[in-house]
Amino acid sequence: MNRIDRLKQKLLAMDDRAIFLERLEILKISAQKYAGETAGMRFGHTLNELLSNISVVIDPDDLIIGRINEVIPTADQEEDFYTNQHYWRPAWFSATGGMTISWETLLRLGLNGIKKNASNRLSQITDKSPESLVQRDFLTGVMLCCDAIVTLANRYAQTAEYLAEEIERNLQRQAELRDIAEVCRRVPEFPPNTFHEAIQAIWFVDLVLHAVAGARDFA
């Protein structure tokens, strides 16, 4: 069986009962930890907590990496989920609704370029009007979110390097893992230089929006 067939088989074998329990636990912690912060800061810090602590999953056939560690809950875990499900999609960490992502901007600037644009706009806001305070909070949140996604990419790079050097014995897979690590050291922080890097950059951001921030409807 080739790689594509194995990945297809894995997809079709997924159990609909599986859930991203790590997300709930981290959101519970963040709800208290960042309760007193403004909207942008709270969102940015919460995203950083998630992307700094969720499991890094690289399956044996993955070339484009970034998976969510979903588990089938035990009876106790299921009961705990329903007891605490108000943390699952709290108002202060909601990214639902229609969105159209500017993938061209991501590929042209990388998150580092987007962060620099936000920083430049932030430096131009000098007054303390309510509108300006909201803008400052939003732009600061943007910068925190960019850093958080880069943190996730670097964690994947570190894991790929570890697997290549310490775990994997297949030479072809070792080479693939080293390539994966190199790609994750570049994107999505910086603009991609190759098609592989471009797809990986888009997938990291898509993964965060879809599975971590919780948005379901965007183009």
Side-chain angles (χ1 to χ4, degrees), residues 15-207:
D15 194 318
D16 289 341
R17 295 173 297 167
I19 192 170
F20 187 13
L21 278 180
E22 289 179 326
R23 182 179 187 274
L24 178 63
E25 294 304 314
I26 296 170
L27 284 176
K28 285 169 60 178
I29 294 170
S30 297
Q32 298 178 0
K33 191 173 182 179
Y34 303 112
E37 297 198 5
T38 55
M41 294 287 284
R42 194 177 192 187
F43 192 100
H45 283 308
T46 298
L47 185 65
N48 183 65
E49 288 285 344
L50 284 159
L51 299 187
S52 296
N53 292 288
I54 61 174
S55 297
V56 170
V57 182
I58 302 178
D59 282 358
D61 283 313
D62 288 349
L63 294 178
I64 300 298
I65 49 87
R67 291 182 179 271
I68 293 303
N69 181 34
E70 294 185 314
V71 299
I72 299 174
T74 64
D76 288 343
Q77 287 173 328
E78 187 172 355
E79 182 180 356
D80 182 68
F81 174 82
Y82 284 113
T83 300
N84 295 283
Q85 62 179 319
H86 55 284
Y87 290 111
W88 186 250
R89 196 184 294 276
W92 49 269
F93 195 71
S94 176
T96 57
M99 293 189 293
T100 301
I101 309 302
S102 179
W103 299 117
E104 295 88 350
T105 300
L106 174 68
L107 299 181
R108 178 169 51 85
L109 299 178
L111 292 178
N112 186 56
I114 293 172
K115 179 183 175 181
K116 285 182 178 179
N117 283 349
S119 179
N120 289 336
R121 290 178 61 184
L122 186 61
S123 67
Q124 296 169 9
I125 301 174
T126 56
D127 67 287
K128 295 184 179 181
S129 66
E131 181 180 347
S132 293
L133 291 176
V134 171
Q135 291 177 344
R136 290 178 64 86
D137 182 51
F138 171 76
L139 292 169
T140 303
V142 167
M143 295 164 65
L144 288 171
C145 289
C146 288
D147 286 341
I149 299 174
V150 171
T151 293
L152 179 66
N154 286 330
R155 292 181 66 213
Y156 267 97
Q158 291 169 0
T159 300
E161 289 165 348
Y162 171 76
L163 291 173
E165 301 302 326
E166 303 295 337
I167 304 298
E168 185 60 56
R169 293 294 175 262
N170 181 283
L171 295 180
Q172 178 181 346
R173 185 56 179 165
Q174 285 180 345
E176 290 174 350
L177 288 164
R178 293 189 184 101
D179 287 343
I180 287 169
E182 184 176 349
V183 167
C184 292
R185 292 293 184 195
R186 178 165 185 83
V187 297
E189 183 174 8
F190 302 105
N193 288 326
T194 67
F195 182 71
H196 184 174
E197 291 179 356
I199 296 300
Q200 184 62 70
I202 289 172
W203 178 247
F204 268 137
V205 175
D206 183 282
L207 178 74

